[in-house]
């Protein structure tokens, strides 16, 4: 189960550490989706294609984590709202939606696809800014968007 960490509101924290943890959690979340039974989240006709397309994603995520380690990255993170209260807000949204999705999975035969899609939408808020700030990660954002669009949204779930 992927867990997204949120810095304590109103306290000093290292944004690089939280962003790196976010990337690890994102990779875990994508792997969990791909490891689900075909048809549970990703429709059967797209499941193997998604598995094949995932192959370069971990390498791109590693490049993103490496870019976070650059000495002069903090100004770029600040320009993209990836520090301070802005980052806390973005991570809190993702973490809350992740908890809703995980809660729906417990005791259910099939994952709540609508909640999963909403989680991926919330991840976009941070992922696209991070990719722009780092100058790397477009492949990850596009793969995540592909998974998001492949998951059917016709389940009438409350999200």
């Amino acid at each position: 189960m992927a867990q997204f960490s949120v810095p304590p509101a109103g306290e000093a924290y290292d944004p690089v550490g939280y962003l790196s943890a976010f990337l690890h959690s994102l990779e875990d979340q994508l792997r969990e989706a791909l490891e689900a039974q075909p048809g549970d989240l990703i429709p059967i006709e797209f499941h193997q294609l998604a598995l094949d397309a995932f192959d370069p994603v971990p390498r791109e995520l590693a490049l993103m984590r490496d870019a976070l380690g650059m000495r002069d990255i903090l100004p770029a993170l600040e320009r993209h709202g990836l520090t301070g209260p802005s980052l806390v807000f973005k991570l809190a949204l993702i973490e809350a939606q992740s908890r809703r999705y995980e809660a729906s999975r417990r005791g259910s035969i099939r994952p709540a696809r609508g909640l999963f899609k909403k989680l991926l939408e919330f991840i976009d808020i941070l992922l696209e800014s991070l990719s722009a700030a780092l100058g790397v990660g477009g492949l990850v954002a596009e793969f995540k968007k592909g998974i998001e669009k492949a998951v059917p949204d016709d389940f009438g779930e409350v999200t």
Side-chain angles (χ1 to χ4, degrees):
M1 169 172 70
Q3 293 191 325
F4 294 92
S5 300
V6 181
E11 295 182 26
Y13 67 92
D14 171 27
V16 170
Y18 278 92
L19 289 167
S20 183
F22 163 77
L23 292 172
H24 281 291
S25 296
L26 174 59
E27 183 172 355
D28 291 346
Q29 189 67 69
L30 293 172
R31 283 186 192 281
E32 287 173 19
L34 293 169
E35 291 169 357
Q37 195 68 14
D40 279 358
L41 285 173
I42 301 167
I44 293 170
E45 65 266 26
F46 299 124
H47 199 267
Q48 186 60 50
L49 296 170
L51 283 169
D52 295 343
F54 182 72
D55 193 45
V57 171
R59 287 189 301 275
E60 187 84 355
L61 285 162
L63 289 174
M64 293 177 79
R65 287 189 296 274
D66 289 347
L68 277 170
M70 301 296 285
R71 226 175 348 154
D72 59 349
I73 197 65
L74 198 54
L77 296 177
E78 288 171 349
R79 282 192 308 276
H80 286 87
L82 297 171
T83 62
S86 181
L87 180 59
V88 173
F89 175 59
K90 292 170 185 173
L91 285 170
L93 288 172
I94 293 166
E95 192 271 337
Q97 185 61 28
S98 177
R99 275 188 288 114
R100 283 190 286 275
Y101 169 63
E102 290 301 327
S104 75
R105 292 178 60 194
R106 284 184 226 113
S108 176
I109 296 172
R110 173 178 286 177
R113 292 180 251 203
L115 294 172
F116 178 68
K117 281 181 73 112
K118 182 70 78 177
L119 173 59
L120 294 179
E121 291 171 9
F122 283 11
I123 286 170
D124 265 346
I125 297 166
L126 196 151
L127 182 60
E128 290 178 1
S129 295
L130 184 56
S131 178
L134 300 176
V136 65
L139 181 140
V140 176
E142 291 301 317
F143 179 80
K144 188 228 50 87
K145 180 89 58 190
I147 295 296
E148 178 186 325
K149 297 300 181 188
V151 175
D153 58 0
D154 58 346
F155 299 98
E157 299 157 345
V158 177
T159 56

